Amino acid sequence: MLKQPSKIDGRLLVIAALLGYFGLLYLANFFVPYHKFWRKLGVVAAVKNTFMDLGYVLGAFDCDRLTGEVSLINNSCFNQIYYPSSWSLLTWLGLGQRDTIFLGVLFALIFYGITLMIIGRLNYQEAIVYALILCSPPVMLLVERGNVDIVIYSWLGVGLMIIKNSRALIFRLCAYLLIFFWGVIKLFPIFGLAVIIKEKRNIFLFLAAIFAAAFITYFLASIEEMKTISQAFDDRGFGHLWFRFGHQALFLKVKPFLLNLSLSTGGETDIKKTIRYMIYIIASLFTMLILTRVLLSKFKIFKEWLSSDFVSADSSKSLDKSQYIDYFRLAVGIYLGNFLVIGLVIDYKLTFLIFALPQILDWIKQENQLSLPSSMALVAMVTTFYASPFLYPWLVDEMINWLLAANLLYMAILSMPEWLKSLVHRRLSGKFSV
């Protein structure tokens, strides 16, 4: 079905879906406050203050100008929003809270514009996928809050277009520096530098060493402030835990569940609560069984793959030459970095997975060795984009994220450059030989 062309560009259907979504919000505002209606659509953290996160950042700029602090360490204005004090360098832009609405709308329009440019022409089936994702609760939460991640997404999108379309290394280097810049500003984008693996071996090793040394130096110089920010973020408690993902989320979500296992009320057993927890446990165990089965099958395939001559003799057929491989690598790098390294982030960071969609859909249509994993990744992505608000308080969404992380890692390994595949094969084939 995904191969079937359409007479009109499916992006028009995506635009229509977005206009319909926001039109519905506008009409609903005549009967109920829009943020309350937005919560009914799954954006459960929607608040009355429009573009709240953006407003806080702009308010920090106002604060910095008023206090005249010159230190980049523990700047009190930026501690309040849990951002590094290096953000005070942006105060010179002259922006303040008075610009919140204008900038929030502008950033949202740029976000959608960049996305439509990246995904290219769509058929009707692809348009449905993108409409579902772009109208999903995590993406809409990002738009509703006006969080700086929406700006980072747009700049990374520009960088990806440069990387994909530039033959000259100097232009690609500018794009890599752009990704590095946002990595310094907000840390997690640094994982997007996985995209430099597209370069030839020696260039990749050189750039990886330079960027790693520079980032580690910056991180160590700011380590105390990073600890303060991390502690402040963790101290927010479990209020919005259900709308976060990462390797810590599953275990942290089990904690309140165990604390609430008391099945009696006033000395009498609560039958409804007992049944609910039984269903909860059965569903969780069933999901874990499926996850374990899939991971074991992936490991078996991985062993067979390593024991065979998997390095392509025809470089033109290598998965490394896939059309949107750069988009995929940046998206997977950021997702796995958030999931495995940072460990606990808010669901709107799932938005960066949109970059992986063009390549995932392309692999599904090609019917190659990544078609089935891509189909699984697509289903898991759409599911997890809707799971948190609509499956609350189930743990199924976090188990899906574990499956998605393992699947994306598997796909990333299979689509490595041939020189890196050869290196991995030499180092691991003996250890996992069958």
Side-chain angles (χ1 to χ4, degrees):
M1 292 178 63
L2 288 175
K3 291 183 178 181
Q4 186 176 353
S6 58
K7 294 182 179 179
I8 64 172
D9 191 338
R11 285 180 293 184
L12 296 176
L13 299 180
V14 176
I15 293 172
L18 291 170
L19 292 176
Y21 187 103
F22 287 107
L24 183 61
L25 277 178
Y26 176 77
L27 293 176
N29 195 50
F30 288 103
F31 306 98
V32 63
Y34 85 95
H35 66 282
K36 293 184 177 180
F37 184 75
W38 221 337
R39 293 175 185 173
K40 298 294 183 182
L41 297 178
V43 188
V44 292
V47 293
K48 186 176 182 179
N49 298 332
T50 309
F51 305 123
M52 184 177 72
D53 288 1
L54 176 60
Y56 285 157
V57 173
L58 296 176
F61 291 158
D62 286 333
C63 170
D64 189 59
R65 280 189 289 268
L66 289 173
T67 59
E69 291 198 41
V70 295
S71 173
L72 292 182
I73 301 176
N74 295 324
N75 185 316
S76 60
C77 295
F78 293 90
N79 286 345
Q80 297 172 17
I81 57 174
Y82 314 118
Y83 283 9
S85 296
S86 56
W87 275 73
S88 62
L89 293 172
L90 301 177
T91 303
W92 68 270
L93 294 173
L95 301 173
Q97 278 192 317
R98 66 185 182 279
D99 305 307
T100 301
I101 301 298
F102 170 75
L103 289 177
V105 173
L106 177 63
F107 291 158
L109 291 175
I110 293 174
F111 163 73
Y112 288 121
I114 291 291
T115 300
L116 292 173
M117 291 174 62
I118 283 176
I119 62 182
R121 183 183 174 89
L122 306 173
N123 60 28
Y124 298 141
Q125 291 77 23
E126 292 170 326
I128 293 173
V129 172
Y130 281 103
L132 285 172
I133 294 294
L134 290 175
C135 293
S136 66
V139 176
M140 285 300 174
L141 178 60
L142 179 62
V143 172
E144 185 267 343
R145 288 296 176 91
N147 189 276
V148 70
D149 286 1
I150 201 170
V151 179
I152 295 174
Y153 174 100
S154 300
W155 277 111
L156 294 186
V158 171
L160 281 174
M161 287 188 283
I162 294 173
I163 293 169
K164 181 177 182 293
N165 298 307
S166 298
R167 294 185 177 181
L169 176 61
I170 185 64
F171 293 115
R172 296 198 301 276
L173 182 59
C174 290
Y176 301 149
L177 288 171
L178 180 62
I179 298 172
F180 180 80
F181 167 78
W182 285 110
V184 169
I185 291 293
K186 211 180 175 189
L187 299 186
F188 78 89
I190 200 68
F191 299 113
L193 279 177
V195 74
I196 67 174
I197 203 173
K198 73 170 287 146
E199 303 296 341
K200 294 180 179 179
R201 178 178 179 175
N202 291 339
I203 296 177
F204 163 74
L205 293 174
F206 175 76
L207 291 178
I210 293 296
F211 283 128
F215 185 77
I216 291 172
T217 301
Y218 164 76
F219 187 83
L220 292 177
S222 310
I223 189 68
E224 292 302 320
E225 187 173 37
M226 299 302 175
K227 289 180 179 179
T228 302
I229 293 172
S230 177
Q231 183 62 43
F233 189 77
D234 292 341
D235 287 344
R236 290 181 178 183
F238 293 101
H240 296 294
L241 182 60
W242 292 104
F243 315 115
R244 299 183 186 180
F245 72 94
H247 74 268
Q248 299 179 36
L250 180 62
F251 305 104
L252 289 175
K253 288 179 182 180
V254 169
K255 184 176 180 179
F257 167 70
L258 295 176
L259 293 175
N260 288 304
L261 272 180
S262 174
L263 302 178
S264 63
T265 303
E268 296 182 2
T269 302
D270 188 333
I271 300 300
K272 291 184 178 179
K273 192 173 184 180
T274 302
I275 295 174
R276 185 168 68 247
Y277 278 121
M278 287 178 63
I279 296 174
Y280 184 96
I281 293 171
I282 292 172
S284 298
L285 291 174
F286 181 71
T287 306
M288 290 180 66
L289 179 63
I290 295 175
L291 176 60
T292 303
R293 178 68 183 86
V294 170
L295 291 178
L296 288 174
S297 65
K298 293 292 183 186
F299 184 69
K300 182 179 179 181
I301 295 173
F302 184 67
K303 290 196 298 181
E304 294 174 350
W305 174 60
L306 284 174
S307 63
S308 63
D309 186 18
F310 67 93
V311 180
S312 177
D314 185 355
S315 60
S316 64
K317 295 182 180 180
S318 172
L319 293 170
D320 178 45
K321 305 298 182 182
S322 300
Q323 185 177 5
Y324 301 103
I325 190 64
D326 300 323
Y327 297 178
F328 177 80
R329 285 172 178 160
L330 181 136
V332 172
I334 289 178
Y335 177 79
L336 292 178
N338 279 322
F339 188 90
L340 299 173
V341 181
I342 297 178
L344 187 66
V345 292
I346 299 176
D347 276 356
Y348 54 61
K349 282 185 168 57
L350 289 170
T351 301
F352 291 88
L353 279 175
I354 293 174
F355 289 135
L357 276 177
Q359 187 57 72
I360 287 174
L361 292 171
D362 190 51
W363 277 332
I364 294 174
K365 289 185 287 187
Q366 290 180 22
E367 299 181 357
N368 57 25
Q369 59 183 315
L370 286 182
S371 293
L372 179 57
S374 295
S375 298
M376 295 170 59
L378 180 61
V379 172
M381 285 173 59
V382 174
T383 303
T384 195
F385 268 76
Y386 284 88
S388 288
F390 295 116
L391 288 180
Y392 178 86
W394 300 86
L395 299 180
V396 175
D397 58 316
E398 296 313 322
M399 296 177 187
I400 292 172
N401 269 281
W402 276 93
L403 173 61
L404 179 60
N407 198 42
L408 289 176
L409 179 60
Y410 172 75
M411 294 166 65
I413 292 174
L414 260 65
S415 58
M416 291 188 303
E418 296 304 318
W419 67 265
L420 189 53
K421 281 186 179 181
S422 299
L423 178 62
V424 171
H425 184 260
R426 289 197 301 270
R427 295 294 179 87
L428 298 180
S429 59
K431 296 181 181 180
F432 294 105
S433 60
V434 292

